[in-house]
Amino acid sequence: MTRPELPGRAPRGEGVPTALDGLLVVDFTRVVAGPACTQTLADFGAEVIKIENPDGGDDTRAYEHAEIGGESAAYLSLNRNKRGIALDFNNPAALEVARALIAKADVVVENFSGGVMKKFGLDYASVAPTNPRLIYCSISAYGRKGDFALRPGFDPITQAESGFMSLNGFPDGEPVRTGPPIVDMATGMSACNAILLALIARDRLGRGQQVEVALIDTAVSMTGFYGMAYLINGNNPGRFGNSPNGSPTVGVYRASDGPLYMACANDRLYRRLVTDVLERPDLVTDPEFAHRKARTANKEKLRAIIASVFAGDTLENWMAKMKKANIPVGYLRTVEEGFNAPEVRDRHRLSKIAHPTAGSVPNIESPVNMSLTPSVDPVAAPLLGQHTKDVLSKTLGYDDRRIAALAEAGAFGKAGNTG
C-alpha cells in the first residue's frame, strides 16, 4: 500500500491570539475520551501537560491500526499539541511533582478507574483546598458515585448497555457497534464543553468546581429522538439499516456502475426527486405513494421501483441530475476515497507535520474553526517523557540539580524519560 501524499501545513498568522492562551491543563488521561478532550484544549492554545506512566505510557501507544516513527496512529491522532512527561506514581518524589503541577493548574482532567486518584492523594477533595480556582474534570464509564462507580467500562460496552447499539445495523441482523469509538469521542467533546462552562462560571463566581462526564450518560443521550420516542409511546425502536424509520427515499441505491446515498426525508424533496430526477410523476399521483405515511406503508414496493430506475443509468449522470435538482445526495466512499475527495481536500483538513522520530506524520485538523482565535500550529504528539525536563524547569522552576535528584530517585521511571 502507498502512503497518501499530504501537503505541509500553512502556518497561522504571526501574532494572532489563541482562545485559551495562558490556561494550564494537567492531563492524567489516556486511551480515547480524555485525550480527545484535552487535545481540543491544546489545539486552541492551552498548555496541556500530559502525564504518563513511565512503563509504556498511554495504552494507545501500543494500538495496532498503523505505526510510524515508533508511534501508533491512535496515539498520534489524540495527543497533538501536548507536552509529555513521565511520572511513576508509586514513587513519592513523582507524586510531589504531580501535586506541584496541580497546584499551578487551571484545569485537571483524569479518567482513571474509580478510586485511583484518591489512592494517590490527587482527587479533587485532596487538591482543591490548595487551588480553589481549579476546574477538575473526571471522565469515567459509569460515573464517580453510585453502585457502578468502580466498574470498568469501555466505549463498546456502553454502546451495548445503553441501547445505542440496538439502533445500529439491519433489521434481520445483530446490533452493530460503530466502527470509530463514537461514544468515547462524544464523551470527550462533552468533557471539553463542561470544562469551558466551568471556566466561564469561574470568571463569574471566582472559584472552580469539579465536573464529571460518563460514557454511559453520553451513550444514553446519543439515542436521541429514538430514545425520546420510546419514552413517549413505549415502543422499543429497532434497527433500520441505512433507512431511518424505514423511509424508502433515504438510504443506499445503486446506479449501473456504483452506489450513492440519498436522503429525501420530506414530501417536497420526494416530489422533486420523482418528477425532476427520476421522471416518474406517477409516483406522486399514485395514492400508494402520494403521502409520507402511504409511502412508508408501501415502502418495499416503492424502494424496488426507485432501485430499478437508478440501475438504468450511470452514477455520474444521476449525481449530476440530483445536484441540479438540489437533492441531498452523496457518493458512498471508502476512507481512501473520502480523504482524497474535493469536499475534504479543498477544506485543507489534512496535512503533514514534523515529528522527532518519523520525520513527519499525518495530521487531521481540528473540526472547530474560529475567525479571531484559530487553532495553534499543530505539534505532533509527544514521545514518552519527551518534555519532562522542560516542564519541570519552565513550569515549576526546578533547577538542573533538583531534576537530576528526581531522576536519581526514580520519579520518571527508566533513564531517557526526561526529554
Side-chain angles (χ1 to χ4, degrees), residues 4 23 84 86 94 105 119 124 146 148 157 163 214 307 309 318 327 330 351 374 391 397 416:
L23 193 76
K119 171 186 173 182
Y124 181 67
F148 303 103
I157 305 302
V309 177
W318 286 124
I327 297 294
S351 62
V391 167

Side-chain angles (χ1 to χ4, degrees), residues 211-411:
V211 299
E212 180 197 334
V213 292
L215 271 65
I216 191 69
D217 298 343
T218 302
V220 167
S221 71
M222 288 177 64
T223 64
F225 44 76
Y226 293 106
M228 183 62 74
Y230 161 71
L231 294 174
I232 290 172
N233 60 28
N235 293 331
N236 200 25
R239 292 181 294 285
F240 307 104
N242 290 314
S243 301
N245 294 329
S247 172
T249 49
V250 176
V252 176
Y253 283 92
R254 292 192 171 274
S256 61
D257 58 348
L260 58 86
Y261 192 98
M262 174 178 68
C264 293
N266 59 46
D267 284 341
R268 175 177 50 83
L269 290 171
Y270 172 75
R271 287 193 295 270
R272 198 185 301 162
L273 169 71
V274 297
T275 56
D276 297 350
V277 177
L278 303 182
E279 299 179 3
R280 288 290 302 270
D282 59 300
L283 298 179
V284 175
T285 57
D286 190 324
E288 288 188 312
F289 313 125
H291 303 287
R292 182 167 181 157
K293 287 186 178 180
R295 292 194 293 275
T296 300
N298 297 286
K299 60 187 177 184
E300 298 304 330
K301 182 176 181 180
L302 180 56
R303 178 172 286 277
I305 294 171
I306 294 174
S308 67
V309 177
F310 274 127
D313 205 345
T314 65
L315 179 61
E316 290 305 323
N317 283 343
W318 286 124
M319 293 297 285
K321 290 178 181 178
M322 296 177 84
K323 289 180 178 179
K324 183 178 180 181
N326 205 23
I327 297 294
V329 66
Y331 295 95
L332 189 62
R333 292 171 172 148
T334 64
V335 171
E336 180 180 10
E337 291 167 341
F339 274 35
N340 287 286
E343 292 91 339
V344 174
R345 289 291 179 142
D346 289 357
R347 290 186 57 75
H348 309 294
R349 297 290 86 193
L350 309 173
S351 62
K352 60 182 178 181
I353 57 177
H355 187 271
T357 59
S360 68
V361 295
N363 178 56
I364 302 174
E365 289 290 316
S366 165
V368 178
N369 296 284
M370 301 179 72
S371 60
L372 181 62
T373 56
S375 62
V376 302
D377 290 332
V379 176
L383 304 178
L384 181 58
Q386 179 179 346
H387 304 103
T388 302
K389 184 175 181 179
D390 184 61
V391 167
L392 268 58
S393 61
K394 292 182 180 178
T395 305
L396 296 181
Y398 291 4
D399 59 21
D400 289 346
R401 180 179 298 178
R402 187 170 184 182
I403 295 172
L406 287 166
E408 180 69 23

Side-chain angles (χ1 to χ4, degrees), residues 105-107 124 128-129 131-136 194-211:
D106 295 287
V107 178
Y124 181 67
N131 187 355
R133 289 177 57 81
L134 179 68
I135 310 300
Y136 191 108
I195 290 166
L196 297 177
L197 290 169
L199 287 168
I200 293 172
R202 186 178 74 172
D203 286 344
R204 192 174 74 254
L205 302 175
R207 58 188 175 89
Q209 60 182 293
Q210 185 172 21
V211 299

Side-chain angles (χ1 to χ4, degrees), residues 51-64:
I51 298 177
E52 295 181 80
N53 176 357
D55 185 17
D58 192 319
D59 297 358
T60 58
R61 288 181 180 274
Y63 281 16
E64 297 174 347

